[in-house]
Amino acid sequence: MNIVIFGPPGAGKGTQSNFIVKKYNLYQVSTGELLRREILNKSALGQKIETIINSGNLVSDQIVSDLIEKYISNKIYKNRLIFDGYPRNLIQVKNLDNLLKKYEQKINLVLKLSVSLETIKKRIIERQLLEKRADDKESIAVKRYQMYEKNIEPVIEYYKQSNLLTVVNGEKTIGEISDEISGLIESIKG
Ligand code: AMP
């Protein structure tokens, strides 16, 4: 089973991805992580990526596609992938479909963790209290949330039309969300 997971920063995507990976023995492909690893390699490609990311832009669809092909083509990960941070636009949606077809796989489930801006703000304030510091993290987080939701909207719409999308209520507790996701995965595994 291959899964795609979406959610704005602060939605608990990382926590839930880790849970799914462990429980169902999947492998997480996070494009942000792959890109950061490439930068650490100090290759020519890594240096190019570093410049792009540091300027706040998205890396080209081709670079990201080449990086994830290494995982999709690897028999060890066949039908065991959970994509995080990918696809980010409609070209990447097509690229992912084509790559999966090429290696005789498909997406079985698309999850969108949905949380309101109010909840994101509350979570940030709670975290700040724990860390005992007050800064302008809130306004940055609000911007990131709004950007994320706006940019990902056509991608989400595409998966909705394809009947692959399930929206999970990210307002619930970590345990409740994990249970809901488990139920979805079990029902697909049959
Ligand atoms: P993230 O860790 O997902 O926030 O990604 C960090 C940075 O990596 C982003 O700001 C982008 O510059 C780049 N990046 C991650 N995923 C993608 C993607 N699917 N397409 C293009 N750029 C990406």
Side-chain angles (χ1 to χ4, degrees):
M1 122 140 32
N2 294 311
I3 299 174
V4 182
I5 187 162
F6 294 105
K13 187 163 54 96
T15 307
Q16 296 302 334
S17 299
N18 287 342
F19 162 78
I20 304 170
V21 160
K22 286 210 187 85
K23 182 161 181 185
Y24 297 100
N25 193 24
L26 300 183
Y27 187 87
Q28 183 174 359
V29 178
S30 151
T31 45
E33 201 53 52
L34 291 184
L35 292 166
R36 281 186 287 276
R37 229 182 279 162
E38 203 58 41
I39 293 173
L40 287 178
N41 281 345
K42 299 217 178 291
S43 59
L45 178 62
Q47 282 167 8
K48 192 172 155 189
I49 292 170
E50 189 169 22
T51 312
I52 299 168
I53 291 188
N54 287 346
S55 66
N57 291 311
L58 283 180
V59 174
S60 81
D61 297 326
Q62 192 57 50
I63 289 178
V64 180
S65 186
D66 290 347
L67 285 176
I68 67 156
E69 182 164 8
K70 290 182 189 156
Y71 292 85
I72 296 177
S73 62
N74 189 331
K75 285 199 177 70
I76 295 172
Y77 305 126
K78 189 164 183 183
N79 285 319
R80 285 183 54 213
L81 294 170
I82 170 160
F83 297 97
D84 168 15
Y86 189 86
R88 270 218 184 29
N89 58 42
L90 289 175
I91 293 170
Q92 295 187 2
V93 166
K94 283 282 161 237
N95 288 345
L96 177 59
D97 271 352
N98 290 337
L99 281 176
L100 288 170
K101 256 189 219 121
K102 184 172 167 188
Y103 298 100
E104 295 171 321
Q105 298 175 64
K106 62 174 182 170
I107 296 167
N108 304 88
L109 179 65
V110 177
L111 298 170
K112 163 101 198 311
L113 284 179
S114 103
V115 276
S116 69
L117 188 49
E118 283 317 302
T119 300
I120 299 274
K121 282 185 192 169
K122 245 185 257 158
R123 287 180 184 172
I124 292 165
I125 290 166
E126 278 163 11
R127 227 175 281 167
Q128 274 176 358
L129 289 175
L130 280 177
E131 293 168 4
K132 290 193 174 45
R133 56 173 201 211
D135 49 27
D136 60 355
K137 268 193 183 159
E138 183 174 318
S139 64
I140 294 170
V142 169
K143 263 190 213 136
R144 286 182 71 200
Y145 175 92
Q146 287 166 337
M147 277 284 287
Y148 179 86
E149 291 293 332
K150 181 170 162 264
N151 292 339
I152 215 67
E153 162 79 29
V155 174
I156 296 293
E157 191 53 37
Y158 174 89
Y159 287 122
K160 194 169 155 193
Q161 300 291 332
S162 320
N163 279 327
L164 284 168
L165 180 75
T166 301
V167 178
V168 174
N169 181 357
E171 308 274 338
K172 294 198 260 178
T173 65
I174 292 176
E176 284 170 337
I177 298 171
S178 299
D179 285 349
E180 185 175 341
I181 293 177
S182 296
L184 288 165
I185 294 176
E186 306 285 341
S187 71
I188 285 173
K189 280 171 51 175

